[in-house]
DNA sequence: CCTACCGATCGGTAGG
DNA sequence: CCTACCGATCGGTAGG
């Protein structure tokens, strides 16, 4: 380990990214100037250009890191042993925990997804498309396996895939878009999951341990 | 009718709004200048200020009109006679049709919802909160009536409400965020609806006429 | 990592 | 509804 206390002394680049994430999430991309970021880091504006070639490069890097953090937090649950019902439930719970724990990280991705100008637009859309495609491939495989094992009824895995995508997207959106109204979502997780799984499988969840 | 051919000769104010909707949706709020809008309408920039006090006032008015158009397109289906399953299905179909027909109108609302600065922020959030609250009150009433009539099983209407909210939000989001990948959503509407309703009610839809 | 600076663009206004 | 204009701010660079 030749890193010098990464927890106590984050590098300047890391402090730069943290400041940028906070400011972009709070004020938007266009609403945040390079001068704002420099001030929060405690540098002169010109010094930022030693770390990133420009504002758009900075955003693209933040998006890449955000997607990686999302995957690291949510994917492991899917590869646990056991029935898909439990693995998907833990995955789904990990998504909500991540949204609650790092709302700014999610905000960066949403903000970048609706970016409309500059060369960063194309690059960001490549990242998001690739991420979405990987998510689909993974979900399709898990669903097909659950059908093969008899845990889910025979049928087209893509029907289930679209249903699950809609539900998961809607849930993250509901929790993001109105934190004060999202309390009902978190409080009703067991009931929500039961309805979701009943819609997906045609039967209630087999087991019912951790929520 | 003392209107002079509103279909053939839209007023200048209407052309201004149409231009603003298109530009905001295509380039974002900050990415669109008042000069851009003026150019598309065919006016000098200063002339825009005869119609709106400023750029933020313009956005707020566009949001109000967008929400009204959404309601006008999607609410009537809910007040039809017949079982909730059919009325909700037609409502849900009307939402998707509206998203497909007027994507820019939806984009305006999404864009305004993520606005972060200026006095327009507070005003827009008031509009969106009130709209969401009205939606909730209406949905809660319809669900409670369906429980009372025996169409839905006994239980807390708010469990069903949150499930439906998540599903409907997720569906609009899926169709908006990736039009090229949304084809599967529209193509699988009957299957999607069947799974949704099975999750909500615990049984398959009673009838199955129009999709 | 900083001081000093630049060209471009912005929303909005004066005055008619 | 227009011409002409303003102060402010932006991302980025020169040069060290």
């Amino acid at each position: 380990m030749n890193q010098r206390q990464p927890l106590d002394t984050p590098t300047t680049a890391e402090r730069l990214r943290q400041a940028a994430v906070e400011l972009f999430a709070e004020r938007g991309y266009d609403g945040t100037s390079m001068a704002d970021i420099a001030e929060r880091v405690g540098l002169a504006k010109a010094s930022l250009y030693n770390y990133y070639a420009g504002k758009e490069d900075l955003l693209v890097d933040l998006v890449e890191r955000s997607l990686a953090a999302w995957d690291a937090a949510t994917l492991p649950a899917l590869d646990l042993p056991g029935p898909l019902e439990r693995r998907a439930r833990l995955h789904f719970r990990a998504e909500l925990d991540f949204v609650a724990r790092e709302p700014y990280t999610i905000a960066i991705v949403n903000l970048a997804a609706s970016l409309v100008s500059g060369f960063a637009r194309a690059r960001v859309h490549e990242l998001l498309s690739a991420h979405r495609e990987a998510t689909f491939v993974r979900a399709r495989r898990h669903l097909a396996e659950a059908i093969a094992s008899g845990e889910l009824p025979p049928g087209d895995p893509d029907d289930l895939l679209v249903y699950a995508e809609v539900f998961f997207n809607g849930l993250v959106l509901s929790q993001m878009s109105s934190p004060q109204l999202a309390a009902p979502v978190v409080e009703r997780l067991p009931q929500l999951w039961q309805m979701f799984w009943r819609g997906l499988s045609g039967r209630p969840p087999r087991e019912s341990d951790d929520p």
Side-chain angles (χ1 to χ4, degrees), chain A residues 40-121:
Chain A
R40 183 162 298 197
V41 194
L43 294 180
K45 184 179 66 164
S47 303
L48 303 184
Y49 292 86
N50 289 313
Y51 300 92
Y52 288 96
K55 195 183 180 185
E56 294 194 274
D57 300 82
L58 170 55
L59 178 66
V60 170
D61 188 49
L62 294 182
V63 171
E64 285 181 341
R65 289 169 184 270
S66 297
L67 293 176
W70 170 264
D71 286 347
T74 63
L75 291 188
L78 283 178
D79 289 322
L80 258 32
L84 179 61
E85 191 276 321
R86 176 167 185 272
R87 289 179 284 132
R89 179 158 42 79
L90 294 176
H91 171 69
F92 161 94
R93 181 56 182 261
E95 291 194 345
L96 291 186
D97 287 344
F98 187 84
V99 173
R101 190 181 346 117
E102 300 195 34
Y104 284 180
T105 303
I106 306 286
I108 291 295
V109 174
N110 290 340
L111 166 155
S114 57
L115 245 218
V116 263
S117 63
F119 73 84
R121 183 186 184 282

Side-chain angles (χ1 to χ4, degrees), chain A residues 116-190:
Chain A
V116 263
S117 63
F119 73 84
R121 183 186 184 282
R123 181 71 187 124
V124 163
H125 278 81
E126 279 172 25
L127 288 172
L128 295 179
S129 280
H131 187 261
R132 182 177 163 121
E133 182 59 28
T135 301
F136 271 40
V137 169
R138 199 163 33 231
R140 202 176 274 118
R141 174 169 55 81
H142 285 291
L143 290 166
E145 286 171 1
I147 292 173
S149 76
E151 184 182 358
L152 289 175
D156 186 346
D158 278 16
D159 286 339
L160 309 181
L161 174 64
V162 173
Y163 173 71
E165 183 215 0
V166 163
F167 186 77
F168 280 52
N169 282 353
L171 201 95
V172 171
L173 178 68
S174 294
Q175 200 184 359
M176 279 298 297
S177 63
S178 49
Q180 74 284 13
L181 286 174
V185 169
V186 171
E187 287 167 9
R188 293 168 195 277
L189 265 187

